[in-house]
Amino acid sequence: MNLKGPELGVHWQSRAWGPLTLEAEAQLGLQNYSSVPSGRLDSVLNLDTRWRVLRASTAQPQWQVGLALHTHSNFLRGTTSLGFGGYDRLSTQVWLPVRWQSVGDQRWAIEAGWLLWGEHVSRLSQTDRSLQDVTNTQRKGAYFQISQKRHTSRGELEPYARWTWVDDSDVQMMTLAGQTRGAYEPQNNRLQLGMKWRFR
């Protein structure tokens, strides 16, 4: 399956805790879904949130390490072009992020993260009450992000690129049409290109 489309979000950051930096962001998007066996479904509501606490290194203050909680929700309601019913897909993931920032006004930032634990819920019962919802555990994943802050007369702009990879989940057994089979969340990749704007 593929999901493509724009997102609009807000970002909050606090450095009032000494060496700790607290961050939160939320992104809302309308994306187009496509799949060879299932067809197309346009304007799928998508919601992401990211919560991070980072601690700067005493010896190397350009480096930060911490803990992050990410949530990802696809509300695939409706019927596809081939007549298949959609359902909600919900993910909750805990990450270990590491960030490096350069010094100066036009600062570069490079961030990488490793997945510690994730849970993915597919609410199949929304398409057919005879189906059971499936909950899978995700244990392997990574992301990489690069950005640069640029000062302009209209505020601070920060273009960024972010790539995320999450491996196959575990397999959960479910009963479908009287037969028992394994269900899992397959490996997925995600590319995000965007711009943050801090206005004054």
Side-chain angles (χ1 to χ4, degrees), residues 178-193:
Q179 296 183 344
T180 301
R181 61 180 64 184
Y184 71 100
E185 180 64 17
Q187 172 183 305
N188 63 83
N189 300 288
R190 188 179 189 191
L191 177 63
Q192 294 171 286
L193 303 174

Side-chain angles (χ1 to χ4, degrees), residues 85-194:
Y87 56 88
D88 294 347
R89 295 161 41 82
L90 313 172
S91 293
T92 303
Q93 299 167 340
V94 179
W95 295 81
L96 175 67
V98 177
R99 180 185 295 166
W100 173 85
Q101 298 182 97
S102 66
V103 295
D105 291 336
Q106 310 294 330
R107 288 184 297 166
W108 285 91
I110 298 174
E111 182 175 324
W114 291 266
L115 180 65
L116 300 177
W117 172 87
E119 181 180 85
H120 184 91
V121 178
S122 298
R123 292 185 172 168
L124 303 180
S125 61
Q126 293 176 341
T127 64
D128 189 331
R129 291 185 178 180
S130 66
L131 298 178
Q132 63 191 75
D133 295 342
V134 178
T135 300
N136 294 107
T137 301
Q138 299 168 312
R139 299 193 182 278
K140 293 181 180 180
Y143 72 82
F144 179 81
Q145 177 174 306
I146 184 169
S147 63
Q148 185 187 28
K149 294 182 179 180
R150 298 174 176 269
H151 294 280
T152 71
S153 59
R154 296 188 177 183
E156 185 179 80
L157 299 179
E158 185 178 358
Y160 68 89
R162 181 186 184 95
W163 176 79
T164 306
W165 166 82
V166 178
D167 202 2
D168 293 344
S169 71
D170 66 344
V171 178
Q172 293 292 321
M173 305 309 294
M174 63 175 293
T175 302
L176 180 62
Q179 296 183 344
T180 301
R181 61 180 64 184
Y184 71 100
E185 180 64 17
Q187 172 183 305
N188 63 83
N189 300 288
R190 188 179 189 191
L191 177 63
Q192 294 171 286
L193 303 174

